[in-house]
Each structure stands twice: as structure tokens, then as C-alpha cells.
């Protein structure tokens, strides 16, 4: 088609052939605002991130009518220089990056240079600021993108105030999507909470319609941090949380995870920060869920506040306009690290020595119990199979457990009825163990025990179930898994990528008792499965595993299925209610709990024991001390 032909086309009769024009600045800013400014809370998020990037140590947030009427944020950061005020409101203008290299290693929360112009294009905005080292403050306003011609002098301390009024006044379509004042403010509160969790060293005050909603002092040590978390997530989270701290060469994970028994019905208390930026990430959620897999009640959600730090060039934050998502360069390594760290922290949850809630009671000997402290305490005494002494695969011996109702505790009682030989090197000698000594069995269900703090109540079935389960897992892992060939080998059509993964993962499959091989370009065949899983739908299981491998580079699905079978066997093999236990048997169970990983909750995530200390009991009886 040449130029003359083009001229012959009449635009009126050819409405499909539109001509191209450059968008006005105003319109292109509003389009950008469509991505980053969804509601008042998004404005608060962007402005708070700017204040943090400016090095603020104190930020005051004033909100009116859920932020729809006004949002005003004052900080004591570095301020904006007079000559930069106009630029600050221009699209693609930022002080945070200059070169392409900078884009690969972003250490600030912002970098797109989009927030202020976007917000300005859909509101009435005023930026007032006094830059550090200057003695004059200036203010610059805009009315839906119509900015005034020059900054005017104002009174303002060093730092910046951003005032955003009448959000979406010129974009009625957006305004229609806003919810009630209460809902919008709730979202703002959540945004402030996230920033507050990530930076305990910054003081924050949030007011709504002049009423103070949050007033958080700055703190620089762990107790101050915990105080802030208690204010934001509730004291009960702090009471039920364990701190964790893991480091490798490049990666470090710190923060708090709630014990599995403090799980939530919603995934609403999950805060994950990457280099100080809150993110929502499939890979992270998956790794955490996997770590909690074995200890969480079905359908419940773990609670955590976690901080991952890694070199800035290892993570791409330029993935999404709102910067809620990131991409890890070594995603598989990050997944693996997170899983291991959290899994380890959860495995360590068991009654601990010296974990006195009041902190003041010195462990002391209770005379009536003294004789028992000389009893052998280690769980190892009667689990030879898990320590490789016998050459027979330990698993075979254990597989008959379901019909063997807690035989091991009867054996143990036997052992204890023999004269006890003192343990010469036992560090516990002379100290009361964390779960104390059994006093009695209550209605065939609970064990009552006394430790140095007060009363311990143990759900004996739940506790034994966890112990049996952990022991079965250990022996299952140390022994060879028994496999059985399928009557008819099963061939599956898969994608080429999945077929490659099968080839690469032969060993992983074999370790778990599967024989899965690649047959052709897009065909794999399953020949053998673990005896334990003979009854499951193997095809869907293998397909799900391959899907995991494609997305996360890792799958715990096979292990999870094996664990599920073991767990149900452990449940059947554990002491039933109404089975009478002798004191030595009960004590053996208590000692076992102290030595078993994850013994704080049963296989279904319910707690196995609880403590009532003396002052709690005193309170019950209104007994002053
Ligand atoms: P970005 O944060 O991506 O750089 P913004 O549009 O959010 O883009 O902000 C533009 C620029 O304005 C920032 O780069 C920064 O230099 C300046 N700025 C914004 N808010 C503040 C503030 N509270 N204190 C100091 N400078 C600020
Ligand atoms: Mg910004």
C-alpha cells in the first residue's frame, strides 16, 4: 500500500483504521495510576515507602474518612531539594537509580519513579518539604495533574509532608469501586502494620479522623521488637512464637514462627519480608507450608513474621508495578533453604529444660520424686532399631506395630522395675526434667505430672502417637523402603520438560521406593511403588510430583504420602484411652516426649501437653503470695 492509497481511506467510513497519537502526560499518569493506585491504602503504601527510603525515623500518618477525604504523611527524612520538587511529581523521575546496573541491585523500596505523578494525577496533592542542609521549605501542589507553575515557600521542619485530598475526584469509575470508610481504613491499617513490622527502628503514629489508632515507639533491640509485634499481631502470637535465626553464605532467615498449635483458620498472620520488603510469593508460601506439613491440623494456616536477607543482585524486584512480587535468581536454593530452616525450627519444638514461664523458680528437687531421677532417661534405651545396631532393616520390625498395642511401654515398665543403676554422667541428675514426674492418670486419658513450675497435664494418646510416628519415620528413613512391582507397569504421557525431570530425578524416586523411568520423548513408565502406597492413586501422585518439580524444583509430595500412611499407622499403634499405665510407664512417656522432635503437638496438630504453674493455680484459688 503506498502513500496515495492511504490518503484515499476516509476515516469516517473506516472507523477501524485509527491513527496513532501520543497520550497526554495527564492521561498516561492516570493509566499508570490504574496499576499502582487502586485505593487509599495503595497511596499510604507508596508514601510510607518513600518516607522509609528517605531515611525517616519518625512518621506520622493522618487519615480522614478512610483516606478518601484526606491522607497526610509527615516524615523527618532527608527531604526534597527545592529544584527537585517539580521533578518529584514527573513521571519516570527518581533519585534512587540512575543506570541499568542499578536496576539489577535495588536496595530501596521505590525505584520506578511512578508513584507521586500517578497519585497526583488522580487527586489534589501537595508536597511540602525542607531538604537536609537547607534553611527554607517549599511546597508544590497539583490538582489532578494540573500542577501549579512554581513552588511556594512554607514553614516546614526538615523532612517531607505529602497531602493527598479527594482521591479519584476526577476518575469517577475508580471512585465507584471504593468500599465503606471502615473497609478502606482497615486496608490502610494493614499496610501500616506491615511497614511497622519491617522497621521497628522507625516510630509510627496512625490517626483516623483525629483519633490515634497506633502509636509505636522506635526500638532497636529484640525486646522492643517483640513489644511491637505484640502490639501489631497480639500478645498471644508472641507468647506462642519461637524466634529463629539461620544463616548460610548468602541467605539469612530470622524472625518468629508460631507453634503449630497456634495455627489460624485464615492465612492472615503471615508476614514475609525480603530485604525489608513485604512480599507475597508462591514459592515462599509453598516452602513454609511444606515445613509445617507434618505438624499442622488439616486446613489450618501457620502464623509467622519472617525476614529473608540476601544479596540485592540475587533477587529481582522489578516484576510487578506494586512490587509485591519478586523473582529469586536461585529460586530452588531459596526454597530449599526456607524449607530446611523452618522445618528445623519446628522439629526443635519440644519441652525444654529451664523453660519456666515465670522465670524465677529455681529447679529444685521434690523429695518424693528424688528416687526416680536416677532412672534411665534417654529414649534411645529402647529404640535400638533406629540407631542401626541391628543389621535387619529396622522398618520390617516396625511394620507390625498397628497390632501391637504399645508394647514398648510395657517393656519399659519391666526395665524400670529392675533396680535402677544411677547414670554417672547424666547432666540431668539432681534436676527435675521439663515435664516433671507423673503423679497419676486421670480418667484413663490424661497424665498428671509435677515439675518445678507446677502441674503438667499430658494427653497420653496424642503424645504417644507423635512419639511413635517420629520413631517410625526415623526407622523408615534409615532402613530401606520396601517396594513392590505394579502388576501392569503404568505408562503416562507427560510434557517433554516433565519427562526430563523424571530422568533427572530417578534417584529421588528410587530413594522413596518408586521406579519411574523415561521411556520416550514424552512418555514415562512407573514400574514399582512403595508397599506402603500400594493402595493410592499412583498416577495422580506422580503427576502432582512432576508439577511440583516444574514450579518449585522440589517436591515433598511422595514423602508426604508416606508420612500420612505412617501417621495413621502410628495413630492405631499408640496407647488408647482407658489403657491403664503405671507410674514408671508414664514417666517413660514423659522422658520420651522430652527427647522427641515435634513432640509439642500430635500428628494432627493438636497440643500434647500443657502446664499450669503455681501462680496460675494460686490465681484460681485467689491465693495471694
Ligand atoms: P520512587 O520512589 O520510585 O523514586 P516516587 O514517585 O515515589 O518514585 O518518588 C519520586 C522521588 O521523590 C523519589 O525518588 C524521591 O527522591 C522523592 N521523594 C518522594 N517522597 C519523598 C520523601 N518522603 N522524602 C524525600 N524524598 C521523597
Ligand atoms: Mg516511591
Amino acid at each position: 500500500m503506498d502513500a496515495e492509497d492511504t490518503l484515499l481511506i476516509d476515516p469516517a467510513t473506516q472507523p477501524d483504521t485509527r491513527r496513532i497519537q501520543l497520550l497526554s502526560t495527564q492521561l498516561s499518569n492516570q493509566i499508570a495510576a490504574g496499576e499502582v493506585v487502586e485505593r487509599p491504602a495503595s497511596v499510604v503504601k507508596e508514601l510510607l515507602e518513600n518516607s522509609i527510603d528517605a531515611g525517616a525515623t519518625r512518621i506520622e500518618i493522618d487519615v480522614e474518612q478512610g483516606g478518601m477525604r484526606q491522607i497526610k504523611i509527615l516524615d523527618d527524612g532527608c527531604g526534597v531539594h527545592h529544584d527537585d520538587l517539580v521533578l518529584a511529581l514527573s513521571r519516570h523521575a527518581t533519585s534512587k537509580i540512575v543506570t541499568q546496573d542499578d536496576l539489577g541491585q535495588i536496595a530501596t523500596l521505590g525505584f520506578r519513579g511512578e508513584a507521586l505523578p500517578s497519585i497526583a494525577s488522580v487527586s489534589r496533592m501537595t508536597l511540602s518539604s525542607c531538604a537536609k542542609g537547607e534553611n527554607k521549605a517549599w511546597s508544590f501542589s497539583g490538582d489532578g495533574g494540573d500542577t501549579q507553575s512554581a513552588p511556594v515557600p512554607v514553614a516546614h521542619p526538615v523532612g517531607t509532608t505529602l497531602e493527598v485530598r479527594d482521591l479519584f475526584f476526577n476518575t469517577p469509575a475508580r471512585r465507584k469501586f471504593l468500599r465503606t470508610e471502615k473497609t478502606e481504613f482497615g486496608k490502610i491499617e494493614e499496610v501500616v502494620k506491615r511497614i511497622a513490622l519491617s522497621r521497628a527502628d522507625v516510630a509510627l503514629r496512625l490517626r483516623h479522623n483525629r483519633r490515634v489508632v497506633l502509636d509505636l515507639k522506635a526500638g532497636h533491640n529484640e525486646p522492643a521488637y517483640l513489644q511491637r509485634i505484640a502490639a501489631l499481631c497480639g500478645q498471644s502470637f508472641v507468647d506462642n512464637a519461637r524466634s529463629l535465626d539461620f544463616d548460610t553464605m548468602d541467605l539469612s532467615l530470622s524472625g518468629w514462627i508460631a507453634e503449630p498449635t497456634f495455627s489460624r483458620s485464615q492465612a492472615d498472620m503471615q508476614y514475609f519480608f525480603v530485604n525489608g520488603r513485604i512480599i507475597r510469593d508462591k514459592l515462599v508460601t509453598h516452602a513454609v507450608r511444606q515445613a509445617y506439613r507434618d505438624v499442622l491440623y488439616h486446613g489450618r494456616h501457620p502464623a509467622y513474621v519472617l525476614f529473608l536477607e540476601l544479596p540485592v543482585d540475587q533477587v529481582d524486584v522489578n516484576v510487578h508495578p506494586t512490587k509485591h512480587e519478586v523473582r529469586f535468581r536461585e529460586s530452588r536454593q531459596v526454597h530449599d533453604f526456607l524449607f530446611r530452616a523452618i522445618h528445623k525450627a519446628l522439629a526443635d519444638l519440644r519441652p525444654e529444660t529451664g523453660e519456666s514461664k515465670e522465670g524465677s523458680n529455681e529447679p529444685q528437687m521434690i523429695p518424693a520424686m528424688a528416687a526416680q531421677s536416677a532412672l534411665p532417661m534417654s529414649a534411645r534405651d529402647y529404640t535400638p532399631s533406629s540407631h542401626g545396631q541391628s543389621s535387619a532393616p529396622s522398618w520390617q520390625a516396625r511394620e507390625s506395630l498397628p497390632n501391637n498395642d504399645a508394647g514398648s511401654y510395657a517393656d519399659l515398665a519391666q526395665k524400670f522395675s529392675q533396680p535402677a543403676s544411677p547414670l554417672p554422667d547424666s547432666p540431668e541428675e539432681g534436676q527435675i526434667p521439663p515435664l516433671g514426674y507423673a503423679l497419676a492418670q486421670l480418667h484413663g486419658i490424661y497424665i498428671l505430672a509435677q515439675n518445678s513450675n507446677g502441674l503438667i497435664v499430658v494427653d497420653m494418646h496424642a503424645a504417644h502417637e507423635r512419639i511413635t510416628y517420629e520413631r517410625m519415620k526415623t526407622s523408615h528413613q534409615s532402613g530401606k523402603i520396601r517396594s513392590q512391582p505394579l502388576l501392569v507397569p503404568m505408562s503416562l504421557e507427560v510434557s517433554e520438560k516433565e519427562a526430563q525431570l523424571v530422568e533427572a530425578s530417578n534417584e529421588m524416586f528410587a530413594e522413596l521406593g518408586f521406579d519411574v523411568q523415561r521411556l520416550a520423548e514424552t512418555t514415562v513408565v512407573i514400574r514399582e511403588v512403595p508397599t506402603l502406597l500400594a493402595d493410592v492413586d499412583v498416577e495422580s501422585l506422580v503427576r502432582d510430583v512432576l508439577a511440583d518439580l516444574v514450579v518449585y524444583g522440589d517436591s515433598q509430595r511422595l514423602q508426604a504420602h508416606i508420612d500420612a500412611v505412617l501417621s495413621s499407622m502410628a495413630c492405631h499403634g499408640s496407647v488408647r484411652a482407658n489403657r491403664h499405665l503405671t507410674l514408671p510407664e508414664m514417666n517413660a512417656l514423659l522422658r520420651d516426649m522430652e527427647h522427641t522432635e515435634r513432640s509439642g503437638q500430635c500428628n494432627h496438630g493438636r497440643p500434647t501437653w500443657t502446664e499450669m504453674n503455681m501462680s496460675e493455680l494460686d490465681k484460681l484459688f485467689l491465693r495471694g503470695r
Side-chain angles (χ1 to χ4, degrees):
M1 192 185 285
D2 62 30
E4 238 164 18
D5 284 339
T6 322
L7 288 176
L8 289 175
I9 295 168
D10 176 0
T13 58
Q14 301 284 330
D16 288 339
T17 323
R18 297 270 192 87
R19 302 299 306 276
I20 300 173
Q21 293 177 29
L22 215 53
L23 293 173
S24 72
T25 313
Q26 153 85 346
L27 199 52
S28 67
N29 282 337
Q30 283 186 348
I31 290 169
E35 285 181 316
V36 284
V37 191
E38 194 192 345
R39 54 181 3 123
S42 358
V43 173
V44 173
K45 170 183 177 285
E46 293 294 336
L47 299 188
L48 284 179
E49 290 187 352
N50 282 345
S51 296
I52 297 276
D53 282 346
T57 63
R58 174 164 188 86
I59 305 174
E60 287 172 14
I61 308 143
D62 278 285
V63 172
E64 267 168 48
Q65 293 179 16
M68 297 176 277
R69 173 98 196 80
Q70 178 179 282
I71 295 165
K72 191 169 140 193
I73 298 192
L74 162 71
D75 69 48
D76 63 353
C78 63
V80 183
H81 194 274
H82 168 269
D83 301 348
D84 290 350
L85 279 176
V86 178
L87 263 184
L89 298 201
S90 316
R91 186 105 181 272
H92 306 310
T94 178
S95 56
K96 298 169 192 174
I97 55 172
V98 180
T99 66
Q100 196 185 345
D101 278 354
D102 297 342
L103 191 57
Q105 35 194 321
I106 289 162
T108 48
L109 295 172
F111 58 90
R112 300 171 61 97
E114 253 181 352
L116 293 189
S118 300
I119 297 167
S121 73
V122 292
S123 71
R124 301 191 165 98
M125 184 162 101
T126 303
L127 164 58
S128 314
S129 193
C130 176
K132 226 168 231 161
E134 303 283 307
N135 47 15
K136 271 214 186 89
W138 300 88
S139 158
F140 187 65
S141 307
D143 207 3
D146 282 337
T147 43
Q148 68 183 38
S149 47
V152 295
V154 284
H156 196 284
V158 170
T160 305
T161 297
L162 246 307
E163 214 178 314
V164 176
R165 281 177 299 115
D166 304 329
L167 186 63
F168 301 140
F169 79 97
N170 55 352
T171 48
R174 263 288 147 107
R175 205 169 53 229
K176 272 203 214 105
F177 281 102
L178 293 180
R179 311 281 290 279
T180 62
E181 174 173 341
K182 191 164 162 250
T183 307
E184 293 301 334
F185 182 71
K187 301 205 183 269
I188 289 178
E189 231 185 322
E190 186 61 29
V191 162
V192 175
K193 197 167 148 181
R194 290 175 182 169
I195 296 272
L197 280 172
S198 74
R199 294 296 298 266
D201 55 334
V202 177
L204 279 165
R205 192 189 67 190
L206 170 65
R207 296 198 304 177
H208 188 212
N209 299 333
R210 306 232 158 79
R211 205 171 53 83
V212 176
V213 180
L214 278 178
D215 196 355
L216 304 166
K217 286 173 205 29
H220 299 271
N221 50 17
E222 172 149 351
Y225 211 127
L226 281 173
Q227 207 179 344
R228 177 165 287 203
I229 294 186
L232 297 166
C233 298
Q235 185 61 40
S236 60
F237 172 78
V238 172
D239 289 344
N240 289 283
R242 297 286 176 113
S243 72
L244 103 200
D245 212 334
F246 286 89
D247 275 303
T248 61
M249 289 257 282
D250 272 354
L251 303 169
S252 115
L253 183 72
S254 60
W256 290 267
I257 57 172
E259 294 183 10
T261 47
F262 180 78
S263 62
R264 319 253 313 157
S265 62
Q266 306 282 324
D268 61 346
M269 216 181 263
Q270 306 187 337
Y271 298 97
F272 197 92
F273 301 87
V274 175
N275 293 344
R277 182 193 307 278
I278 184 113
I279 58 145
R280 262 179 266 128
D281 185 89
K282 252 187 9 185
L283 179 117
V284 169
T285 321
H286 186 262
V288 178
R289 272 220 81 83
Q290 277 200 348
Y292 269 90
R293 166 176 66 75
D294 213 13
V295 288
L296 208 58
Y297 200 66
H298 183 68
R300 304 285 297 177
H301 300 270
Y304 51 84
V305 177
L306 288 170
F307 301 90
L308 176 69
E309 301 286 329
L310 72 174
V312 287
D313 60 357
Q314 291 290 306
V315 53
D316 186 0
V317 293
N318 186 20
V319 179
H320 193 265
T322 60
K323 300 162 287 179
H324 269 314
E325 286 167 30
V326 293
R327 206 173 285 136
F328 296 105
R329 186 174 283 180
E330 301 288 342
S331 60
R332 192 179 177 155
Q333 188 198 335
V334 171
H335 184 279
D336 193 53
F337 171 72
L338 292 176
F339 170 75
R340 276 170 206 281
I342 300 169
H343 191 258
K344 170 84 175 64
L346 289 169
D348 288 343
L349 291 179
R350 54 188 134 174
E352 270 172 19
T353 320
E355 197 200 35
S356 153
K357 277 182 191 158
E358 299 297 295
S360 56
N361 311 12
E362 272 293 303
Q364 44 177 274
M365 205 59 174
I366 304 171
M369 300 295 151
Q372 294 178 0
S373 72
L375 295 175
M377 286 174 185
S378 167
R380 296 197 175 105
D381 287 350
Y382 51 94
T383 50
S385 55
S386 60
H387 293 274
Q389 260 118 345
S390 81
S391 55
S394 54
W395 174 242
Q396 293 178 2
R398 290 283 157 194
E399 257 176 348
S400 59
L401 240 167
N403 312 318
N404 175 1
D405 186 43
S408 56
Y409 285 96
D411 295 350
L412 207 67
Q414 271 276 301
K415 212 175 205 177
F416 284 157
S417 59
Q418 294 159 11
S421 55
L423 294 177
D425 299 323
S426 167
E428 287 120 318
E429 181 140 17
Q431 279 201 354
I432 298 171
L435 293 180
Y437 296 107
L439 302 170
Q441 191 177 19
L442 186 67
H443 286 291
I445 297 174
Y446 298 107
I447 295 171
L448 306 184
Q450 165 174 315
N451 72 357
S452 54
N453 297 332
L455 178 70
I456 298 283
V457 183
V458 172
D459 178 335
M460 79 185 194
H461 174 70
H464 190 209
E465 185 178 300
R466 169 59 74 179
I467 291 165
T468 313
Y469 176 41
E470 289 299 326
R471 196 173 303 154
M472 287 171 108
K473 280 198 295 186
T474 312
S475 52
H476 188 250
Q477 277 154 17
S478 60
K480 179 154 167 39
I481 294 179
R482 277 207 287 170
S483 301
Q484 71 182 45
L486 291 176
L487 221 48
V488 185
M490 195 183 286
S491 65
L492 308 184
E493 277 306 306
V494 296
S495 72
E496 199 182 330
K497 170 120 205 234
E498 289 171 327
Q500 283 163 0
L501 282 167
V502 164
E503 235 168 5
S505 314
N506 278 156
E507 217 165 288
M508 175 202 87
F509 279 114
E511 266 169 28
L512 292 168
F514 287 81
D515 179 0
V516 187
Q517 305 285 343
R518 184 178 187 176
L519 261 197
E521 195 77 326
T522 60
T523 313
V524 300
V525 61
I526 310 171
R527 293 208 176 84
E528 260 184 30
V529 298
T531 310
L532 271 177
L533 297 186
D535 297 332
V536 310
D537 176 356
V538 177
E539 169 169 355
S540 331
L541 179 57
V542 170
R543 281 192 188 283
D544 288 348
V545 168
L546 291 176
D548 283 349
L549 291 174
V550 171
V551 182
Y552 307 110
D554 175 32
S555 178
Q556 297 276 318
R557 234 174 254 273
L558 299 178
Q559 190 64 52
H561 270 76
I562 292 174
D563 285 352
V565 176
L566 292 180
S567 166
S568 119
M569 289 170 69
C571 181
H572 294 297
S574 301
V575 269
R576 303 268 121 208
N578 293 323
R579 184 179 178 284
H580 177 74
L581 292 184
T582 63
L583 277 183
E585 281 178 311
M586 289 189 261
N587 280 323
L589 182 62
L590 297 178
R591 297 298 76 79
D592 235 355
M593 288 172 69
E594 287 158 4
H595 290 102
T596 302
E597 292 189 332
R598 291 173 278 268
S599 68
Q601 57 282 317
C602 76
N603 307 352
H604 313 288
R606 289 188 293 266
T608 54
W609 66 282
T610 185
E611 179 181 276
M612 280 184 98
N613 63 34
M614 292 308 282
S615 60
E616 282 163 341
L617 288 166
D618 288 345
K619 255 184 231 142
L620 270 183
F621 295 98
L622 309 174
R623 187 177 223 253
R625 280 214 158 178

